[in-house]
Amino acid sequence: MSLNALEMKDVSFSYNHQQVLEDINFTIEENDFVAIIGPNGGGKSTLLKIVLGLLTPDKGEVKVFGREPKKALDLVGYLPQHTHFDLDFPIDVFETVLMGRYHGMFKNYTSEDREIALQALKDVDMERYKDRQISRLSGGQMQRVLIARALAREPKLLLMDEPMASIDPEMQNSFYQLISHLKDRMALVLVSHDVGTVSMHVDKIACLNQKLYYHGPAEEAGEGLEEIYHCSIEHISHGIPHRVLRKH
Amino acid sequence: MFEFIQYDFMQRAFIAAILVSVACGAVGTYVVIKKIVSMSGAISHAAFGGVGLGYLLGVNPVVAAIPFSIVAALSMGAVQEKVKISEDTAIGILWSVGMALGIIFVNLKSGYAPDLFSYLFGSILTVSNTDLYIMLVLDLIILMVVFLFRREFMGVSFDEEFSKVVGLPSTLINMLLLALIALSVVVLIKVVGIILLIALLAIPAAICKQYTYDIHKLMISSTIIGAILTSLGLILAFIFNLSSGATIILVLGAALFISYFIHE
Ligand SMILES: Nc1ncnc2c1ncn2[C@@H]1O[C@H](COP(=O)(O)OP(=O)(O)OP(=O)(O)O)[C@@H](O)[C@H]1O
Ligand SMILES: [Mg+2]
């Protein structure tokens, strides 16, 4: 019997009494490819942080491959939406990616770890920058490095919070190609506002706005969601902030 | 010109200069890149409580400062975790409460505390052999811990959230780093004193950080620069008969100033 990559049962979460997630029931099977969409402040990033054990829900149960989130971290990769680090830090691109290979105290990075990190950099076409200090990268290049850091973990569940922010169209194409290969090896969760593009690639879509409004096959999303796609393509591509979801 | 090298106390002073530089290179580097200079300042001032306790109990104040400053550092870390009060506030409180404790401890011990000033402002020329042994042992502990936990220190200094996500025990590692800062403080006390030592801890790494983005080079160059500048301060203090701790700090400050111009 194979375990689900993620099982959330009746999960609620609030930041200082402000309810952000309410009774979320959400299952991701092995090798699922799911996009999470929803308006700003809908709780998408919060949900990922719960899966990573960075936040603890007020109630409900979270299991990642049948384990507590904090006990499953060696199976999970993460690309954060925002990073908090100092770009002027003495670290180069390769070392940054290598951090994705961390597997515990007193464990040196092996030559295999280094190869995997290098391959991850090749996958995002950043190999030639591997010795560059991170403050000397453009925003999109930095984003690629962080994608590589998440890939280098070789996770069974890969969580990516708006990976395509500041990535150019050409790289976006190769990114979707890359993850279509990754699909046989892991479950993928992608937070995105670009509903149009995402729906062409993913198998399932989850709409999150405090509650989970829809979770199912992308093509069966029905009229409502088509409407949503339509609206989001038109408006998001014009850079106008817009509520992606209908009011429920 | 170099006759001062014949004096035993000068030889001990130069050895002390090298020993402090090791702590500055290894731990000062993290203090600078993790931006915890003022927190380290608070730990150093809190160490005065330990010095006072040493007086009171009649043990070597430097030895008494070891457990005391470690406890102070860890309580600082606990505050950081809980975030009930802001870190900035906690730093300010630890800073003066530690000093106040030290003063009360000294008060409680009736009689005059003759060399109290040397712990506050340093006195590299009166470093004893015992002091050197303590510094050496602490340096060795520091180097060993830094070597063993270099990946973890790098991880929490660079990107704490991500280090949690890859299963790195970030709370424990932050605590360990604060404890290392406490040990470095003790290494530095005799040389520049509690009040001045934060500059010695931070300036060598601050100078070298402008020139390298490789953390290993940063640590090694900070150690070398630290040893050179501390020795230079020591020589100037001797020649001009100035207070050694203050002279060393001014040499470091001047070097930092000049290095910015060279770098520009
Ligand atoms: N650290 C925090 N403390 C308090 N409230 C927070 C915090 N982080 C997020 N929130 C609140 O929680 C809600 C959900 O935030 P979250 O970041 O999960 O949204 P999101 O769906 O990822 O939005 P976006 O599309 O803008 O990235 C928001 O209303 C936000 O104001
Ligand atoms: Mg978000």
Side-chain angles (χ1 to χ4, degrees):
Chain A
M1 192 201 90
S2 70
L3 286 165
N4 283 327
L6 172 66
E7 259 175 53
M8 288 183 131
K9 283 200 194 107
D10 299 321
V11 170
S12 295
F13 180 85
S14 50
Y15 288 106
N16 325 309
H17 309 295
Q18 181 211 348
Q19 186 89 6
V20 174
L21 295 174
E22 206 183 319
D23 296 322
I24 306 287
N25 286 289
F26 190 33
T27 302
I28 294 173
E29 289 165 29
E30 265 189 316
N31 305 335
D32 261 0
F33 186 4
V34 185
I36 302 180
I37 61 169
N40 292 138
K44 306 179 293 297
S45 301
T46 304
L47 186 123
L48 296 195
K49 284 179 188 165
I50 289 172
V51 178
L52 290 157
L54 290 172
L55 299 174
T56 314
D58 304 337
K59 71 174 192 67
E61 191 188 62
V62 184
K63 290 275 189 238
V64 180
F65 294 101
R67 309 184 206 165
E68 296 293 314
K70 279 191 178 143
K71 300 246 159 68
L73 290 172
D74 49 334
L75 300 173
V76 183
Y78 177 48
L79 174 76
Q81 180 179 19
H82 302 293
T83 50
H84 311 284
F85 51 75
D86 171 19
L87 283 176
D88 205 32
F89 196 87
I91 190 168
D92 63 26
V93 165
F94 185 71
E95 285 175 288
T96 306
V97 175
L98 202 54
M99 220 164 263
R101 298 298 306 162
Y102 181 85
H103 283 294
M105 290 195 264
F106 312 117
K107 286 187 188 138
N108 269 319
Y109 297 119
T110 61
S111 54
E112 194 198 350
D113 287 328
R114 286 167 197 285
E115 271 163 37
I116 291 167
L118 196 62
Q119 184 56 47
L121 275 173
K122 283 183 191 160
D123 288 340
V124 297
D125 197 19
M126 283 294 289
E127 191 196 358
R128 62 183 174 282
Y129 296 99
K130 77 179 181 51
D131 297 321
R132 189 171 279 207
Q133 198 276 327
I134 55 163
S135 66
R136 296 171 54 228
L137 298 175
S138 75
Q141 288 171 335
M142 189 70 227
Q143 181 73 354
R144 292 188 194 195
V145 170
L146 297 181
I147 293 171
R149 181 175 74 168
L151 294 176
R153 192 129 189 95
E154 297 199 316
K156 291 276 152 217
L157 171 63
L158 180 55
L159 310 171
M160 288 181 287
D161 203 343
E162 303 201 21
M164 290 302 104
S166 68
I167 297 289
D168 62 43
E170 195 183 327
M171 185 64 210
Q172 291 200 13
N173 270 333
S174 43
F175 175 78
Y176 282 113
Q177 265 172 27
L178 173 70
I179 52 181
S180 66
H181 294 303
L182 295 177
K183 249 164 50 175
D184 339 319
R185 281 187 271 150
M186 60 188 79
L188 287 158
V189 178
L190 198 79
V191 171
S192 179
H193 287 293
D194 189 357
V195 188
T197 315
V198 139
S199 63
M200 297 191 304
H201 295 94
V202 302
D203 308 324
K204 291 181 184 166
I205 285 198
C207 302
L208 187 67
N209 187 10
Q210 190 166 334
K211 291 179 182 167
L212 190 66
Y213 282 102
Y214 174 83
H215 179 215
E219 59 272 16
E220 287 169 31
E223 292 245 316
L225 214 59
E226 252 167 44
E227 220 171 82
I228 294 161
Y229 295 162
H230 184 70
C231 119
S232 74
I233 294 160
E234 263 191 4
H235 292 274
I236 288 176
S237 60
H238 289 91
I240 300 162
H242 190 88
R243 286 180 73 89
V244 174
L245 282 174
R246 290 180 297 171
K247 264 273 187 220
H248 285 256
Chain B
M1 172 75 209
F2 290 102
E3 73 277 10
F4 54 74
I5 218 71
Q6 305 158 17
Y7 301 120
D8 279 357
F9 68 85
M10 272 312 245
Q11 289 168 6
R12 283 197 296 272
F14 280 112
I15 295 171
I18 291 166
L19 290 175
V20 294
S21 305
V22 172
C24 295
V27 179
T29 295
Y30 290 121
V31 167
V32 169
I33 64 179
K34 199 172 191 289
K35 300 194 167 140
I36 47 176
V37 173
S38 43
M39 188 183 301
S40 309
I43 294 171
S44 81
H45 282 74
F48 187 66
V51 169
L53 192 63
Y55 269 107
L56 182 60
L57 301 178
V59 297
N60 184 338
V62 174
V63 174
I66 297 173
F68 196 92
S69 51
I70 289 179
V71 169
L74 296 184
S75 58
M76 194 71 220
V79 167
Q80 241 185 323
E81 287 297 314
K82 294 273 179 276
V83 247
K84 283 276 193 289
I85 48 175
S86 86
E87 190 175 303
D88 181 51
T89 309
I91 287 172
I93 292 169
L94 180 63
W95 192 291
S96 31
V97 168
M99 291 280 312
L101 269 177
I103 294 166
I104 297 298
F105 286 146
V106 173
N107 284 165
L108 290 177
K109 172 94 178 176
S110 49
Y112 178 60
D115 51 353
L116 197 58
F117 254 56
S118 76
Y119 294 102
L120 286 174
F121 300 106
S123 114
I124 194 171
L125 296 175
T126 64
V127 167
S128 66
N129 281 330
T130 316
D131 292 329
L132 289 181
Y133 283 124
I134 294 171
M135 291 163 77
L136 178 67
V137 169
L138 295 181
D139 268 350
L140 291 176
I141 294 172
I142 288 169
L143 287 179
M144 198 178 70
V145 174
V146 165
F147 177 75
L148 286 177
F149 296 95
R150 59 195 183 286
R151 284 177 294 274
E152 286 77 14
F153 288 146
M154 186 81 167
V156 295
S157 303
F158 176 57
D159 189 342
E160 185 148 354
E161 183 186 65
F162 192 79
S163 60
K164 282 185 187 151
V165 161
V166 291
L168 194 153
S170 60
T171 307
L172 186 76
I173 295 300
N174 275 324
M175 292 291 197
L176 189 60
L177 185 55
L178 292 174
L180 276 195
I181 293 169
L183 291 186
S184 312
V185 162
V186 176
V187 173
L188 270 55
I189 282 183
K190 267 293 193 144
V191 171
V192 284
I194 280 161
I195 295 189
L196 302 176
L197 75 75
I198 193 61
L200 175 55
L201 192 60
I203 288 178
I207 291 175
C208 297
K209 187 170 177 281
Q210 303 170 82
Y211 301 96
T212 180
Y213 279 122
D214 177 327
I215 189 162
H216 304 111
K217 286 184 191 152
L218 183 52
M219 287 185 172
I220 291 166
S221 57
S222 307
T223 306
I224 295 169
I225 290 284
I228 292 171
L229 294 174
T230 310
S231 303
L232 182 63
L234 167 62
I235 294 168
L236 291 177
F238 183 78
I239 293 175
F240 297 108
N241 195 21
L242 297 167
S243 167
S244 58
T247 313
I248 289 168
I249 296 302
L250 286 183
V251 168
L252 285 159
L256 180 64
F257 190 69
I258 293 166
S259 74
Y260 275 129
F261 277 100
I262 296 175
H263 187 66
E264 277 308 304

